[in-house]
Amino acid sequence: MSYRPLADEIRPTCLDEVVGQKHILGEGGLLRRIIESGNIPNLVFYGPSGTGKTTVANIIARQSGRTLRRINATTGSLSDVKDVIGEVGTMMAPNGILLYLDEIQYFNKKQQQSLLEVIESGDVTLIASTTENPYFYVYNAVLSRSTVFEFKSVTAEDILPAVDRGISLMEARLGEKALCGEGVREQIAGACGGDVRKAMNAVELLLNSGRREKGNILVTLEDARAVAQRSAMRYDREGDDHYDIVSALQKSVRGSDPDAALHYLARLLEAGDLMSACRRMMVMACEDVGLAYPQIIPIVKACIDAANMLGLPEAAIPLGDAVILMATAPKSNSGCEGIFAAMADLKAGRTGDIPRHLQNVHADSAGMEREQGYLYPHAFPGHYVKQQYLPDKLVGVQYYRYGENKTEQAAKRYWDEIKGE
């Protein structure tokens, strides 16, 4: 008998056995009602790996009586799609074909377009799955003819019964009783990052390699931790998870929540992505704290320099300090809004000649400044004199508006007094 991975052996055969996804597969859930009706539309399943997308496709094929054909877009081609289409109306697919296209984001536009004719005619029902956002990666014509369902990461609480089932199946397979130390089951369920497949792989590895004693398999918490290390991390530097974590980090700092900020920083660092953490923190210092606490910029830069000097894991210490400081600092995006407003004007063509008295003079030493009419501010009281600086077409435009924090308001009071405003 050939080897069969535990993750395949434990795969659910009915909707009630699917782990998690209660929002779409629970009693009254929309996807559950669609499946039970037997009228299956074209579907797009979107979510992390190991959350049941392939399992649900298999259940749909089984319950609808349709022939299931599977193509993985990472290795598939147009000829594979044509082969599937060629089975329509034959004895090989008497009740129609359900095409499960895994990782559809790897099909280019032309390949995805090839699906349109058959899914519109109803000869083939398409279930496409993707770990990326389908609204970015699935061709719009395919998307508009499909119903999208999001599969969410599974909680440790949801996975625990599957861990117990996996242990029971392994005991039957090995003919031995598993003696799991305290916390082992919870460690496996919690450390798999919402991926049932990872949890089953951990169970299989632990029981196959566990120490034997008097006909029992000893599974220790230490072993469980070793097997599951870092498996809780869902992270792809080119995928949605990367951008979601970086976005959550900045929004947590902007929202002045140091605990959430530390959590997302830890996720970046645990994945070994020191570069993204440092780059994003520099952005936050300038964009979100900015002029409310301008000293934050050199402080964060110093922390980043220290982190890069130390390397991981010690880099977490100065970066943690910097994140907490930014999250608890006063906030201002006035500088950010100001420069973006100025850039927007330039892109819209709102510009003009630089006033003559501001232009560069190559013979400054000859006293050409006076001929330009430039007024030297340092020669006036308060180091200020009123004169035009913007081009004629932009006179009166205001890009920067003082923030309401005490630092910028203090600057405003100072200049209001100097300028007599």
Side-chain angles (χ1 to χ4, degrees), residues 80-111:
D80 295 314
V81 175
K82 291 177 181 178
D83 288 343
V84 171
I85 295 172
E87 295 183 13
V88 174
T90 69
M91 292 296 291
M92 296 179 69
N95 297 316
I97 293 175
L98 191 151
L99 171 60
Y100 182 64
L101 182 57
D102 199 11
E103 305 290 358
I104 188 175
Q105 73 270 17
Y106 289 106
F107 260 20
N108 60 34
K109 184 176 179 179
K110 183 179 180 180
Q111 290 172 313

Side-chain angles (χ1 to χ4, degrees), residues 257-370:
D257 188 331
D259 299 306
L262 287 171
H263 170 77
Y264 295 115
L265 173 63
R267 288 173 71 158
L268 283 173
L269 299 182
E270 184 67 16
D273 197 353
L274 179 60
M275 181 179 69
S276 292
C278 291
R279 181 183 180 279
R280 183 54 52 173
M281 288 172 67
M282 210 64 242
V283 172
M284 291 185 286
C286 301
E287 179 181 349
D288 296 309
V289 179
L291 299 175
Y293 181 26
Q295 299 94 324
I296 196 72
I297 297 172
I299 291 173
V300 171
K301 177 62 166 58
C303 289
I304 288 172
D305 288 344
N308 284 307
M309 182 184 296
L310 292 169
L312 290 169
E314 289 85 355
I317 301 170
L319 294 187
D321 290 342
V323 156
I324 293 170
L325 184 60
M326 286 192 289
T328 55
K331 305 295 189 296
S332 174
N333 69 337
S334 58
C336 177
E337 289 191 338
I339 186 59
F340 286 160
M343 292 171 71
D345 265 0
L346 286 177
K347 291 176 181 177
R350 297 191 65 195
T351 182
D353 294 333
I354 296 172
R356 171 62 184 150
H357 59 279
L358 298 185
Q359 292 175 10
N360 180 55
V361 176
H362 300 291
D364 283 344
S365 60
M368 292 296 290
E369 311 97 308
R370 289 189 294 277

Side-chain angles (χ1 to χ4, degrees), residues 3 170 173-174 203-210 212 217:
Y3 166 74
M170 286 299 298
R173 180 188 294 182
L174 298 171
V203 168
E204 186 171 16
L205 180 59
L206 284 168
L207 268 69
N208 278 332
S209 61
R212 266 58 177 176
I217 307 171

Side-chain angles (χ1 to χ4, degrees), residues 70-388:
R70 178 173 176 172
I71 298 175
N72 190 306
T74 59
T75 56
S77 64
L78 277 176
S79 63
D80 295 314
V81 175
K82 291 177 181 178
D83 288 343
V84 171
I85 295 172
E87 295 183 13
V88 174
T90 69
M91 292 296 291
M92 296 179 69
N95 297 316
I97 293 175
L98 191 151
L99 171 60
Y100 182 64
L101 182 57
D102 199 11
E103 305 290 358
I104 188 175
Q105 73 270 17
Y106 289 106
F107 260 20
N108 60 34
K109 184 176 179 179
K110 183 179 180 180
Q111 290 172 313
Q112 291 190 33
Q113 283 178 319
S114 70
L115 302 168
L116 292 178
E117 183 178 349
V118 290
I119 66 175
E120 283 186 327
S121 67
D123 294 331
V124 175
T125 299
L126 174 69
I127 299 182
S129 77
T130 174
T131 55
E132 307 292 349
N133 189 326
Y135 297 100
F136 294 150
Y137 291 95
V138 179
Y139 179 49
N140 189 57
V142 173
L143 205 58
S144 66
R145 292 164 174 78
S146 308
T147 303
V148 178
F149 286 97
E150 181 180 3
F151 281 60
K152 298 180 179 180
S153 294
V154 186
T155 67
E157 184 179 354
D158 287 332
I159 291 179
L160 199 55
V163 170
D164 291 335
R165 286 179 57 209
I167 291 172
S168 296
L169 285 172
M170 286 299 298
E171 288 177 329
R173 180 188 294 182
L174 298 171
E176 297 175 290
K177 177 71 175 175
L179 300 180
C180 296
E182 185 176 353
V184 165
R185 297 163 53 256
E186 291 78 7
Q187 173 67 26
I188 298 170
C192 66
D195 188 328
V196 180
R197 189 183 301 111
K198 282 185 178 180
M200 294 304 101
N201 290 342
V203 168
E204 186 171 16
L205 180 59
L206 284 168
L207 268 69
N208 278 332
S209 61
R211 292 193 300 273
R212 266 58 177 176
E213 186 176 295
K214 297 179 180 179
N216 296 317
I217 307 171
L218 305 182
V219 184
T220 66
L221 183 56
E222 181 181 2
D223 287 343
R225 285 173 175 161
V227 167
Q229 61 182 344
R230 290 203 173 190
S231 64
M233 287 301 302
R234 288 188 177 277
Y235 196 73
D236 175 359
R237 294 190 190 191
E238 301 299 325
D240 283 352
D241 288 331
H242 163 76
Y243 296 105
D244 288 345
I245 295 173
V246 168
S247 174
L249 171 61
Q250 182 162 8
K251 288 172 181 174
S252 297
V253 167
R254 182 183 298 152
S256 303
D257 188 331
D259 299 306
L262 287 171
H263 170 77
Y264 295 115
L265 173 63
R267 288 173 71 158
L268 283 173
L269 299 182
E270 184 67 16
D273 197 353
L274 179 60
M275 181 179 69
S276 292
C278 291
R279 181 183 180 279
R280 183 54 52 173
M281 288 172 67
M282 210 64 242
V283 172
M284 291 185 286
C286 301
E287 179 181 349
D288 296 309
V289 179
L291 299 175
Y293 181 26
Q295 299 94 324
I296 196 72
I297 297 172
I299 291 173
V300 171
K301 177 62 166 58
C303 289
I304 288 172
D305 288 344
N308 284 307
M309 182 184 296
L310 292 169
L312 290 169
E314 289 85 355
I317 301 170
L319 294 187
D321 290 342
V323 156
I324 293 170
L325 184 60
M326 286 192 289
T328 55
K331 305 295 189 296
S332 174
N333 69 337
S334 58
C336 177
E337 289 191 338
I339 186 59
F340 286 160
M343 292 171 71
D345 265 0
L346 286 177
K347 291 176 181 177
R350 297 191 65 195
T351 182
D353 294 333
I354 296 172
R356 171 62 184 150
H357 59 279
L358 298 185
Q359 292 175 10
N360 180 55
V361 176
H362 300 291
D364 283 344
S365 60
M368 292 296 290
E369 311 97 308
R370 289 189 294 277
E371 292 183 17
Q372 284 185 298
Y374 173 62
L375 302 176
Y376 189 59
H378 295 303
F380 292 84
H383 301 264
Y384 171 78
V385 62
K386 186 173 182 178
Q387 63 186 324
Q388 179 182 332

